Amino acid sequence: MTTTATTLKGQPLDKPILDAMLRRRLFYTPSFEIYGGVAGLYDYGPPGCSLQANIVDLWRKHFILEEDMLEVDCTVLTPHEVLKTSGHVDKFADWMCKDPKNGEILRADHFVEAVLEARLNGDKEARGQKVEEKDDPKKKKKKAKTEAVKLDDAVVKEYEEILAKIDNYDGPELGNLIKKYQLRNPATLEIPSDPVSFNLMFQTSIGPSSNVRGYMRPETAQGQFLNFAKLLDFNQGQMPFASASIGKSYRNEISPRAGLLRVREFLMAEIEHFVDPQAGKKHTRFQDVAHVELVLLDRDTQLSGKTDTRKVAIGQAVKDGLVDNETLGYFLARIHLFLEKIGVDLSKMRFRQHMANEMAHYACDCWDAELLTSSGWVECVGCADRSAYDLSVHAKKTGAPLVVRERLEEPVVIDEWQVDIERKKFGPHFKKDARFVEAVLLETSQAERQKLAEQLNSTGKVELDVAEVAGGKAELNDDIVKIAWRTRTENTREFTPNVIEPSFGIGRILYSLIEHNFWTRGSDGGDEARGVLSFPPTVAPTKVLIVPLSSNAQFRPHIKRISQQLRSMGVSNRIDDSSASIGKRYSRNDELGTPLGITVDFQTLQDGTVTLRDRDSTTQVRADESKILDAIKAIVEGSKDWNKVASELPRFEGQEVDIASR
Amino acid sequence: MTTTATTLKGQPLDKPILDAMLRRRLFYTPSFEIYGGVAGLYDYGPPGCSLQANIVDLWRKHFILEEDMLEVDCTVLTPHEVLKTSGHVDKFADWMCKDPKNGEILRADHFVEAVLEARLNGDKEARGQKVEEKDDPKKKKKKAKTEAVKLDDAVVKEYEEILAKIDNYDGPELGNLIKKYQLRNPATLEIPSDPVSFNLMFQTSIGPSSNVRGYMRPETAQGQFLNFAKLLDFNQGQMPFASASIGKSYRNEISPRAGLLRVREFLMAEIEHFVDPQAGKKHTRFQDVAHVELVLLDRDTQLSGKTDTRKVAIGQAVKDGLVDNETLGYFLARIHLFLEKIGVDLSKMRFRQHMANEMAHYACDCWDAELLTSSGWVECVGCADRSAYDLSVHAKKTGAPLVVRERLEEPVVIDEWQVDIERKKFGPHFKKDARFVEAVLLETSQAERQKLAEQLNSTGKVELDVAEVAGGKAELNDDIVKIAWRTRTENTREFTPNVIEPSFGIGRILYSLIEHNFWTRGSDGGDEARGVLSFPPTVAPTKVLIVPLSSNAQFRPHIKRISQQLRSMGVSNRIDDSSASIGKRYSRNDELGTPLGITVDFQTLQDGTVTLRDRDSTTQVRADESKILDAIKAIVEGSKDWNKVASELPRFEGQEVDIASR
C-alpha cells in the first residue's frame, strides 16, 4: 500500500521519516509522555511554539490590523446557562457506540467510514487493483482490517455514495447503516450498540460550594457575542464591524488520533463580523478581492456522491449564487490570501461547502478551507454564516438588547393596529396573571388585532388564549383594552446583526503547513536523504543561523555582534557553536526550517566579510557584514527573494564541499 | 475615610473615577455580565487586550529573546497523577470556614485579617485618630463593620503583630486565632467553623468514558518540568538553560474580588531556569546587574512584626546572604528592570521575601515583586528557588531520568565498598522477594556495607531488615552476595538541576501599571477633571490617533495614507473621524493612553504639513508628513522622547483653544 501524499518537490511523502524528524527537532511532543501520555494532548517545543507565534502574528496583521477589528480576550471558563442558551449543551455532541463485548467506545461516523473503506479496499484487492493507504483524520486510529472480498458493483456504488456524504448522517441514520450492512468491530467481530449522543464539552464547577456548573469553552465565539453591545458602543455605534479573538478552546473528542489534527485542546483564531442583513450582506471591499480564484466543492456535488471541484473567481461565484453573499465571499477570499501568504501549497487547498445535516446547529451556510495532507483533506478554517442566531437567543434569554439602533435618513410612516392597555384597570383586574395576558396581547399579529378590534367593537369584549391563566382563557372588556388603527412615524430602525464567522484551527494549519513545506534533499553518495522545511522566511521559527567555522575564540566577538545586530533589527537568530561539522549544523537547521545561515571564518577576521547561505538552494554569497545584514532584512521583510540577493552579491563556493560531506 | 493611593502626579487616587473610566473605555469587563456575571472572571476589551499583548511582547523580548530561553506551549488540561506527584492535589489549597448560621463560605486568613483590621480601625476612631481606608486584595469584598471601641495598648500590639505575619499561619492556627479572639462574622455575629482545606484546582474528566481524572493547570511550570529531558536534548546537552511559557492558568479562588487582582482564570508568564546546584548557583551575567538597586523587605523583619524596607544593590544583597545566590539575585534584578521598562512607578515597588510557612510546598526560598496600588501591596511576580523538588518527584514517580549527565574534565577516583550479587543464585533463592531484598541491599550506606562485609567475612552470612519479606528479615550467604573494597573511576557526573522560577501574573501587572500611569488633568474653568493614562509608548494600546479637523471629504486621502504608512512601519494607529470636537476626540484617547495624535487640517491640503500632539504635555509641533512620521518612529522605538522631538520641530499653537474647549 502506498500513500498519495507528496512533498513540496512532488516526492512521495514518507510520513514516518517526517514524524521522526518533527519529534527529533521538538516541533511538538505528546503531553505528559513520561506519565504515559493522554490521548489528544500535545505540547509545542521551541520551533513549534515559534512557528505558531509567527502564524498568529501574521494572522493578527492580515485580519485584525488590516481591517481594524476589535480584538478581545474572553475567559475559557463558561457557565452552564450561556452554553445552554447557545445550544451547545443540547447539540454540541458526536454520536458514539459501544462494543458489547470489550466495551470499546467508537465514534459512530468514523466507525462506519472505516469499515466501509476496508470493505472497498478488500474489493479492490480481490479485483487485483492498487489500494491507496489514506491515513484519514476522520477515522479511528486503529484501522479496520482489509480482507480481499469481492463486492457486487451495485454494493460498491452504494458504499461510495455513503462515504461521499458521511458527514451528512445523524445518529439514528448511522445506527441504521450499521445494522443494514452488518458493520462489525474488527477487534471483536461484534456489531456495536446503537449510537448515543456524547457531549464534547469538558465540564467543571466554579466556586467553593460547587454550585456554579461550568464548561471549558468549545469555541471563542460566545464571549464575543455576549460583549456585542459593549463592542458596538466602543466602536462608537458604527456598523459593520468585526471582533476577533485568539485563544484556546476545548473539545473532549471521543477518539483523538496521533498528531495535531484531532486534539482536545487547541488554539483558535476567530472573527465575528457583524453585518446588517437588510443590505444584502454587501461588503465595501469586495471589489478588492473579486478577482481571487478559489477552488470550490459545492454542496450539490457532494450530495450526488462526487468530489469534483471547480476554480472560480469569487466575484463570479457570488454573482452565480454559488456563494451566498458578498461578505461571506469576501472572507473566503481573504482566507485564501492568508493561507497563501503563510506558505500553504495552493494546489493542495479547496473550499468545501457543508451539507445541510453537517452544519453546526447555529449555521445557515458554511464553507471550509480544506488542506490536503497525508491524512486526506483536512478542515483547517471554517467560514460560517451564523445569521442572527446567537445574538437572538442570548437577547431573548437575558433581555439584553443585542441590537443595533440606526437613525433612519427618511422617517418611515406606518399605518397599523395598536393595542392600548388601560393600566389602572388592567393590573388590578388580572393580578398575578397580568404579565402573561399582556405578553400574549402584545405578540398578536396585525391580522389578529384586526379581528380582536372588530370583536371588541361589536361585543365589547374578547377572549384570549393564555396558557398560564387558570382555564387557559382570559376575557378582556373594552374598558381595559382598546385596539385602534393609527399612523406611526419611525425615526430609528432596530435590527439584530447577522454574523459571518471565519474560524481558524491554528494547530491544523500549522501541521498542514509543515507537510506542504517538507521535502528531502537528494543524496549524491548514497547518503540518507536529508529533510528540509522550506517555510517562507516570515513564518520560519528562526530566521538566521550563525555558525563559526570552528570553536576558535577569535570568532566569538563577530558572532556575538552579528547576533545582537540581527536582534536589534527584530530578526530572530540562533548561534550554533557546537563542535559538529558546518554541514551537520546546517542540516539540523534545514530540518528546523531556518531559511538563512551566516558563516564566520578566517577570512572574516581579515576583511570583515561573512557568507550567507540559502536553505533551499544551498548556494552562498559573500560580502561585508553590513551588506549581508541588509540582504537578510530585505529577505525577511519580503522585499527581495534569494535570487535577487544572489544576483547582487558575489557568489561564494568555498564551503560547498564541507556542507556536502556530513 | 481616605485612601493613601496616589496617581502618577501624586494626586489622591479616586478609585471610582478610574473604575468608571476603565469600564467606559472597555479595558476589561466582567465576563458574562448579561447573564449576571461569574465572580473572578473578566474579559479584556480592545485596549486591555492590546495592552496585555504589548506587555507580553516586551516580556518575550526582555527574557526569552535576550537570554535565548526555550519557549514551550504546554496543555492546560493535566491528568491527576501529574498533579498528585507535584503535590498540588494534596497541598494546593486555601483554608476556608463556614458561617454556621447563613452558610456563607469565608477564606479563613482574609476573615481573620478583616475582623482584626476592623477592630484596630474602631480603636483608632475611639482614640480620635484618622482611619485610612485600605481596599486590600487579601480581604473579602464585604468589609467587617468598624465600631468605635477602644482597645488596650497591649491588644493593639498583638493584633498588629498578627497582621504583619498573617500569611504565616496555617489552618489550625487560624482556627485558634478565631476562637481566642472571638472573631465573629459581621453578617451574622456568629463565630465561623474551624478552617478546612479547600483545593484550588478546577477538576474535570478527560475522554468519553470519564475515566481519566484531570485538572486545569494551576501554573504553567509542570509542563516545562515534564519536558525537561527533551529540552536539554534540544539544547544539545548544554547547561544551564531556561525554558519559558506564556499561557493561562486557573485557580478556583474561594473569594475572588472585583477587579483583576484575584481572578480564577489568568495569564501567566513563567520561566524555569535549570542550574547546577554544585556550582553555588552562580550566574555568568550576574556582574551585568550587580549594581541594580532593589527595595527589599526580608523575612526576619516581617517576623518581628515590621514592614521596613531597605534599598540595596543586588550584588551587595547576595554578598551579605540576604538573597541566597547569584541566579536568584540575577532574576530579581532582571524582574526589576522589566517592570521599570514597561512603566511601573519604581517608588511603588518592593521585593518581599516569603516567610517559612507562607512558601509554596515546593519552594526553598522565594521573593515577590510587589506593587503598591489602591488595594495595598500586590504580589505581581514571584521568584522562587524550587530547588530540585519537581524534577526529583517526577523522576521518582515515573522512572524517567530527569537528570544532567556531564563529562568530568578530570575523572574522579573513588575507593568504596561495592556489592556483588550472584544473579544466578540470588533470583532462584529469594524468588518473588528478590527485588525487595536487592533494593535494601543496594541502598545501604558505605558504613553499613563495611559492617556487612566484616560479618560476611567472619560468619559467612548476614541478616538484612526487609519489610516486604515474611518475618521482616532476609538471610544472605556469601555465595549469594559479596561485598568488596574496590577503586572506581567516574568519567561522568549525574545530577538533578535546581530550578529558579520567576513567575509573572500578567493581569496583576497590567492593573498595577494602569494605576501607576493614571492621573487627572487639572481643569481651568471648573470642568470635570479629565483622566490620562501616561503609558510609555512601547506598551500603549494604540500609538497614534489620526484625526481630521472635520468630516470634509478632502481630508480622507491624507488620513488613509498616513494610517497605511504608519501600519507599514509597524506602528498601531486609529482614525477617529467621528463628528465630536477635536478636543473630545483627544480626551477619549488620553483615557485610552494613546501617546501621540496627528491632526490633518486645511493647511495640510495646502502644504502637506500635519501637527503632532503629545498626550502628556498636550503640546504640538507642526512639520512635513515625512518628518512627523520619522519623529513618531523614534518615539515609539524609544530612541527619542517628546522633549527632543519638540526641540527639533516647530511648535504649533493653533488648536490649543479647541482642545481646551470641550
Side-chain angles (χ1 to χ4, degrees):
Chain A
M1 294 207 288
T2 56
T3 162
T4 53
T6 54
T7 71
L8 181 63
K9 307 282 181 186
Q11 306 151 320
L13 178 74
D14 193 330
K15 187 77 162 44
I17 292 241
L18 173 61
D19 285 343
M21 186 185 99
L22 294 176
R23 194 182 164 80
R24 188 166 61 245
R25 296 306 172 209
L26 206 52
F27 275 84
Y28 55 89
T29 184
S31 306
F32 319 108
E33 200 170 28
I34 65 173
Y35 278 85
V38 176
L41 297 180
Y42 285 85
D43 295 341
Y44 288 77
C49 204
S50 176
L51 182 58
Q52 174 180 271
N54 294 340
I55 292 171
V56 165
D57 189 53
L58 282 174
W59 191 90
R60 192 175 258 130
K61 285 188 183 130
H62 184 85
F63 290 104
I64 298 184
L65 293 183
E66 273 192 39
E67 316 221 0
D68 270 341
M69 294 175 174
L70 304 182
E71 188 174 353
V72 295
D73 184 8
C74 304
T75 61
V76 166
L77 285 168
T78 307
H80 174 84
E81 218 186 341
V82 170
L83 291 160
K84 177 74 185 171
T85 306
S86 70
H88 287 86
V89 169
D90 297 324
K91 294 175 196 159
F92 193 72
D94 277 338
W95 297 97
M96 70 175 182
C97 33
K98 202 171 178 170
D99 185 294
K101 198 163 175 183
N102 66 2
E104 187 183 5
I105 289 168
L106 305 159
R107 191 170 139 177
D109 53 345
H110 295 180
F111 169 73
V112 169
E113 201 175 9
V115 176
L116 292 186
E117 278 182 355
R119 289 189 186 173
L120 286 175
N121 282 342
D123 172 70
K124 279 187 181 166
E125 265 187 54
R127 291 171 193 247
Q129 294 168 352
K130 196 173 147 193
V131 174
E132 283 177 359
E133 184 177 4
K134 197 179 92 185
D135 183 16
D136 197 310
K138 290 174 186 159
K139 212 155 58 181
K140 257 198 69 72
K141 216 168 126 193
K142 189 173 55 178
K143 287 201 195 99
K145 208 178 139 200
T146 301
E147 282 177 61
V149 177
K150 191 170 177 299
L151 305 170
D152 284 350
D153 288 357
V155 172
V156 169
K157 195 159 170 261
E158 265 181 72
Y159 286 3
E160 281 171 349
E161 282 172 5
I162 291 167
L163 289 174
K165 53 183 175 183
I166 187 72
D167 292 328
N168 202 37
Y169 297 106
D170 65 14
E173 286 166 346
L174 290 166
N176 289 340
L177 291 174
I178 291 170
K179 276 174 283 192
K180 178 173 175 191
Y181 296 109
Q182 293 279 301
L183 306 182
R184 292 172 190 278
N185 183 2
T188 59
L189 299 181
E190 295 283 335
I191 294 177
S193 67
D194 276 340
V196 294
S197 172
F198 172 71
N199 194 289
L200 297 180
M201 293 194 293
F202 288 99
Q203 200 175 325
T204 190
S205 63
I206 306 172
S209 45
S210 306
N211 48 3
V212 180
R213 196 164 21 136
Y215 304 93
M216 298 171 79
R217 67 178 176 200
E219 57 172 17
T220 69
Q222 296 305 320
Q224 300 182 58
F225 297 138
L226 299 187
N227 283 309
F228 171 74
K230 293 173 190 172
L231 289 167
L232 177 64
D233 185 48
F234 184 83
N235 206 42
Q236 302 178 290
Q238 288 173 9
M239 283 285 292
F241 74 96
S243 61
S245 187
I246 302 164
K248 291 272 187 82
S249 291
Y250 296 82
R251 295 179 188 180
N252 197 2
E253 295 289 348
I254 293 170
S255 52
R257 59 194 297 279
L260 299 184
L261 297 182
R262 172 164 290 109
V263 292
R264 287 172 168 158
E265 173 170 339
F266 50 97
L267 190 66
M268 284 182 109
E270 286 191 311
I271 295 163
E272 311 298 333
H273 180 90
F274 300 98
V275 60
D276 183 349
Q278 206 182 52
K281 305 186 191 179
K282 296 276 180 203
H283 195 289
T284 52
R285 297 201 207 175
F286 185 68
Q287 285 316 313
D288 298 351
V289 300
H291 65 283
V292 175
E293 286 190 328
L294 307 183
V295 174
L296 301 179
L297 170 58
D298 65 48
R299 180 181 293 157
D300 293 340
T301 305
Q302 296 166 72
L303 278 175
S304 72
K306 300 206 178 80
T307 57
D308 304 327
T309 57
R310 46 181 154 163
K311 198 165 182 176
V312 197
I314 189 66
Q316 193 62 41
V318 170
K319 209 177 197 176
D320 294 348
L322 189 57
V323 169
D324 186 64
N325 58 71
E326 278 192 2
T327 299
L328 190 59
Y330 176 77
F331 280 108
L332 294 183
R334 292 284 297 161
I335 291 165
H336 175 99
L337 294 173
F338 170 73
L339 293 173
E340 182 179 14
K341 190 184 279 181
I342 63 171
V344 157
D345 184 339
L346 292 187
S347 72
K348 296 175 179 171
M349 171 156 84
R350 73 179 183 193
F351 285 87
R352 188 179 71 80
Q353 189 176 28
H354 276 207
M355 289 168 284
N357 284 353
E358 179 190 0
M359 276 193 287
H361 60 271
Y362 47 72
C364 75
D365 193 10
C366 184
W367 290 80
D368 287 342
E370 295 186 330
L371 300 180
L372 185 62
T373 72
S374 59
S375 301
W377 286 99
V378 175
E379 170 201 342
C380 288
V381 187
C383 194
D385 184 339
R386 292 176 83 131
S387 68
Y389 175 80
D390 303 273
L391 293 181
S392 303
V393 293
H394 289 304
K396 191 172 174 197
K397 177 72 185 176
T398 63
L402 302 180
V403 293
V404 176
R405 285 196 190 88
E406 212 178 48
R407 193 163 178 82
L408 290 170
E409 295 195 7
E410 300 237 339
V412 175
V413 177
I414 301 160
D415 291 318
E416 64 178 6
W417 290 103
Q418 292 180 357
V419 175
D420 300 323
I421 290 170
E422 194 65 45
R423 297 264 159 218
K424 277 186 191 156
K425 292 180 185 164
F426 190 85
H429 182 79
F430 287 111
K431 296 190 178 74
K432 68 176 173 43
D433 293 334
R435 65 195 182 100
F436 301 115
V437 179
E438 183 174 343
V440 170
L441 202 52
L442 295 182
E443 276 172 15
T444 48
S445 67
Q446 284 293 310
E448 287 165 342
R449 288 183 187 182
Q450 185 174 3
K451 256 199 204 152
L452 293 176
E454 286 163 4
Q455 227 175 311
L456 274 174
N457 279 345
S458 60
T459 66
K461 64 181 180 187
V462 289
E463 223 177 40
L464 274 185
D465 292 334
V466 185
E468 292 86 353
V469 170
K473 301 269 179 194
E475 198 184 87
L476 298 110
N477 296 324
D478 57 4
D479 58 334
I480 287 182
V481 67
K482 288 187 173 58
I483 295 179
W485 179 255
R486 290 205 203 93
T487 297
R488 178 167 62 85
T489 305
E490 278 206 352
N491 293 303
T492 58
R493 176 181 154 239
E494 192 177 283
F495 66 92
T496 302
N498 278 20
V499 174
I500 308 291
E501 179 193 76
S503 170
F504 296 70
I506 300 296
R508 289 181 169 196
I509 292 173
L510 180 144
Y511 177 75
S512 305
L513 192 66
I514 287 175
E515 274 204 11
H516 287 197
N517 283 281
F518 174 68
W519 57 290
T520 50
R521 185 107 67 198
S523 53
D524 296 335
D527 274 353
E528 192 187 318
R530 287 168 284 152
V532 184
L533 285 170
S534 286
F535 297 126
T538 38
V539 300
T542 304
K543 315 304 181 200
V544 183
L545 169 72
I546 309 171
V547 292
L549 187 66
S550 71
S551 60
N552 192 310
Q554 287 181 284
F555 296 142
R556 264 176 229 152
H558 293 269
I559 293 288
K560 204 173 163 187
R561 191 184 55 245
I562 292 171
S563 175
Q564 276 168 348
Q565 281 180 296
L566 285 172
R567 195 170 291 155
S568 72
M569 287 157 56
V571 175
S572 69
N573 63 88
R574 285 235 158 219
I575 295 167
D576 185 352
D577 53 6
S578 69
S579 59
S581 76
I582 288 216
K584 273 209 177 117
R585 284 182 272 168
Y586 274 132
S587 274
R588 177 170 189 267
N589 279 274
D590 289 346
E591 294 191 344
L592 287 165
T594 310
L596 298 166
I598 289 178
T599 313
V600 169
D601 55 20
F602 290 105
Q603 198 180 326
T604 311
L605 304 181
Q606 289 161 22
D607 66 6
T609 62
V610 295
T611 75
L612 182 65
R613 173 189 184 262
D614 171 48
R615 171 197 60 205
D616 297 346
S617 63
T618 74
T619 54
Q620 296 186 67
V621 295
R622 174 155 212 132
D624 284 350
E625 205 178 287
S626 66
K627 277 191 189 152
I628 295 291
L629 292 179
D630 287 347
I632 291 173
K633 188 156 188 271
I635 290 173
V636 170
E637 282 176 357
S639 61
K640 286 184 188 171
D641 64 7
W642 177 258
N643 289 336
K644 177 88 179 126
V645 165
S647 72
E648 292 171 352
L649 298 176
R651 177 147 178 165
F652 176 68
E653 309 278 354
Q655 282 153 14
E656 288 299 298
V657 176
D658 186 12
I659 289 170
S661 71
R662 67 186 273 272
Chain B
M1 293 206 289
T2 57
T3 161
T4 52
T6 54
T7 70
L8 182 64
K9 306 282 181 186
Q11 306 151 319
L13 178 73
D14 193 330
K15 186 78 164 42
I17 291 239
L18 172 61
D19 285 344
M21 186 184 101
L22 295 175
R23 194 181 166 81
R24 185 166 63 244
R25 296 309 171 208
L26 206 51
F27 273 84
Y28 55 88
T29 183
S31 305
F32 318 110
E33 201 170 27
I34 64 173
Y35 279 85
V38 177
L41 297 180
Y42 285 84
D43 296 341
Y44 288 77
C49 204
S50 175
L51 182 59
Q52 174 180 271
N54 294 340
I55 292 172
V56 165
D57 189 53
L58 282 175
W59 191 90
R60 193 176 258 130
K61 286 190 183 128
H62 184 85
F63 291 104
I64 298 183
L65 294 183
E66 273 191 38
E67 316 221 359
D68 269 341
M69 294 174 174
L70 304 181
E71 188 174 353
V72 296
D73 185 9
C74 305
T75 61
V76 166
L77 285 167
T78 307
H80 174 83
E81 219 185 341
V82 170
L83 292 162
K84 177 74 185 171
T85 305
S86 70
H88 287 86
V89 170
D90 296 324
K91 293 176 196 157
F92 193 72
D94 277 338
W95 298 98
M96 69 175 182
C97 34
K98 202 171 180 172
D99 184 296
K101 199 163 174 181
N102 67 0
E104 186 183 4
I105 288 168
L106 306 159
R107 190 170 141 179
D109 53 346
H110 295 180
F111 169 71
V112 169
E113 202 177 7
V115 176
L116 291 186
E117 277 180 355
R119 289 190 187 173
L120 286 175
N121 282 341
D123 172 70
K124 277 187 184 166
E125 265 187 53
R127 290 170 193 248
Q129 294 167 354
K130 199 174 145 192
V131 174
E132 284 176 358
E133 185 178 4
K134 197 178 92 188
D135 184 16
D136 197 311
K138 292 175 184 158
K139 211 154 57 179
K140 260 197 67 72
K141 216 168 123 194
K142 188 173 56 177
K143 285 199 196 102
K145 207 178 139 200
T146 301
E147 281 176 61
V149 176
K150 191 170 177 301
L151 305 171
D152 283 349
D153 288 357
V155 172
V156 169
K157 195 159 169 263
E158 264 181 72
Y159 285 4
E160 281 171 350
E161 282 171 7
I162 292 167
L163 289 174
K165 52 184 175 181
I166 188 74
D167 292 328
N168 202 37
Y169 297 106
D170 66 12
E173 286 166 345
L174 291 167
N176 289 340
L177 291 175
I178 291 171
K179 276 174 281 191
K180 179 172 173 191
Y181 295 108
Q182 294 280 302
L183 307 182
R184 292 171 190 279
N185 184 0
T188 59
L189 299 181
E190 294 284 334
I191 294 177
S193 68
D194 276 340
V196 295
S197 173
F198 172 71
N199 194 290
L200 297 180
M201 293 193 293
F202 287 99
Q203 200 175 325
T204 190
S205 63
I206 306 172
S209 46
S210 304
N211 49 3
V212 179
R213 198 167 15 140
Y215 303 93
M216 300 172 77
R217 68 178 175 201
E219 56 173 17
T220 70
Q222 297 305 319
Q224 300 182 58
F225 298 137
L226 299 186
N227 283 310
F228 170 75
K230 294 173 190 172
L231 289 167
L232 178 64
D233 185 49
F234 183 84
N235 205 43
Q236 301 177 290
Q238 289 173 6
M239 283 285 292
F241 75 94
S243 60
S245 188
I246 302 164
K248 290 271 188 87
S249 292
Y250 296 82
R251 295 179 186 178
N252 197 2
E253 295 289 347
I254 294 170
S255 51
R257 60 195 295 281
L260 299 183
L261 297 181
R262 171 163 291 110
V263 293
R264 287 171 169 159
E265 173 170 338
F266 50 97
L267 189 66
M268 282 182 110
E270 285 192 311
I271 294 163
E272 310 298 334
H273 179 88
F274 300 99
V275 60
D276 183 349
Q278 208 182 50
K281 304 185 189 176
K282 296 277 179 202
H283 196 288
T284 52
R285 295 201 206 175
F286 185 67
Q287 284 317 313
D288 298 352
V289 300
H291 65 282
V292 176
E293 287 190 326
L294 307 182
V295 174
L296 302 178
L297 170 57
D298 65 48
R299 181 182 295 158
D300 294 339
T301 305
Q302 295 166 73
L303 277 175
S304 71
K306 301 205 178 79
T307 56
D308 305 327
T309 57
R310 46 182 155 163
K311 198 164 184 176
V312 198
I314 190 66
Q316 193 62 43
V318 170
K319 209 178 198 177
D320 295 347
L322 188 59
V323 170
D324 186 64
N325 60 70
E326 278 192 3
T327 300
L328 190 59
Y330 177 76
F331 280 108
L332 293 183
R334 293 283 298 160
I335 291 164
H336 174 100
L337 294 173
F338 170 72
L339 293 173
E340 183 178 12
K341 191 184 278 180
I342 63 171
V344 157
D345 184 339
L346 293 186
S347 71
K348 295 174 179 171
M349 171 155 85
R350 73 179 184 192
F351 286 88
R352 188 180 70 79
Q353 189 175 27
H354 276 207
M355 289 169 284
N357 283 353
E358 180 191 359
M359 276 193 288
H361 61 272
Y362 45 73
C364 75
D365 192 11
C366 185
W367 290 80
D368 287 342
E370 296 187 329
L371 300 179
L372 185 62
T373 72
S374 59
S375 302
W377 286 99
V378 176
E379 170 199 343
C380 287
V381 187
C383 192
D385 183 339
R386 292 175 84 131
S387 68
Y389 175 81
D390 303 272
L391 293 181
S392 304
V393 294
H394 289 303
K396 192 172 174 198
K397 177 73 186 176
T398 62
L402 302 180
V403 292
V404 176
R405 286 198 189 86
E406 210 179 48
R407 195 164 176 81
L408 290 169
E409 296 195 6
E410 302 238 339
V412 175
V413 177
I414 301 160
D415 291 318
E416 64 176 7
W417 292 103
Q418 292 182 357
V419 175
D420 300 323
I421 290 169
E422 195 64 46
R423 299 261 158 221
K424 277 186 192 156
K425 294 179 185 164
F426 190 85
H429 182 78
F430 288 110
K431 298 190 177 73
K432 67 175 176 42
D433 292 335
R435 63 193 183 101
F436 301 115
V437 180
E438 183 174 343
V440 170
L441 203 51
L442 294 181
E443 275 172 15
T444 49
S445 67
Q446 284 293 311
E448 287 166 342
R449 287 185 189 184
Q450 185 175 4
K451 254 197 207 157
L452 293 175
E454 286 162 5
Q455 227 177 313
L456 275 175
N457 279 345
S458 60
T459 65
K461 64 178 182 189
V462 290
E463 221 177 44
L464 274 185
D465 292 334
V466 183
E468 291 85 354
V469 170
K473 301 269 178 194
E475 199 184 85
L476 299 110
N477 296 323
D478 58 4
D479 58 335
I480 286 183
V481 67
K482 288 186 175 57
I483 295 179
W485 179 253
R486 291 204 203 93
T487 297
R488 177 168 61 86
T489 304
E490 278 206 349
N491 293 304
T492 57
R493 176 181 153 240
E494 192 177 283
F495 66 91
T496 302
N498 278 22
V499 174
I500 308 290
E501 179 193 76
S503 171
F504 296 69
I506 300 296
R508 287 182 170 196
I509 292 173
L510 180 144
Y511 177 74
S512 305
L513 192 65
I514 288 175
E515 272 204 11
H516 287 197
N517 284 280
F518 173 68
W519 57 290
T520 49
R521 185 106 69 198
S523 54
D524 296 334
D527 274 353
E528 194 186 316
R530 285 167 286 152
V532 183
L533 285 169
S534 285
F535 297 126
T538 38
V539 299
T542 304
K543 313 305 181 201
V544 184
L545 168 74
I546 309 171
V547 292
L549 186 67
S550 72
S551 60
N552 191 311
Q554 286 182 283
F555 295 141
R556 264 177 230 154
H558 292 269
I559 293 289
K560 204 174 166 187
R561 191 183 57 243
I562 293 171
S563 175
Q564 276 168 348
Q565 281 180 296
L566 285 172
R567 197 171 288 156
S568 72
M569 288 157 53
V571 175
S572 69
N573 63 88
R574 287 237 156 217
I575 295 167
D576 184 350
D577 53 6
S578 69
S579 59
S581 76
I582 288 216
K584 272 208 176 118
R585 284 182 272 168
Y586 274 133
S587 274
R588 177 171 188 267
N589 278 274
D590 289 345
E591 293 192 344
L592 287 164
T594 310
L596 298 166
I598 288 178
T599 312
V600 169
D601 55 20
F602 289 104
Q603 197 180 328
T604 311
L605 305 180
Q606 290 161 21
D607 65 7
T609 62
V610 295
T611 75
L612 183 65
R613 173 190 183 262
D614 171 47
R615 170 198 59 204
D616 297 345
S617 63
T618 73
T619 54
Q620 295 188 68
V621 294
R622 172 153 215 135
D624 282 352
E625 205 177 289
S626 66
K627 277 190 189 153
I628 294 291
L629 292 178
D630 288 346
I632 290 172
K633 189 156 187 273
I635 290 174
V636 169
E637 283 177 353
S639 61
K640 285 183 189 172
D641 63 8
W642 176 258
N643 288 335
K644 178 88 178 126
V645 164
S647 71
E648 292 170 353
L649 298 176
R651 178 146 180 165
F652 176 68
E653 309 279 354
Q655 280 153 16
E656 288 299 298
V657 175
D658 187 13
I659 288 171
S661 71
R662 68 185 273 270

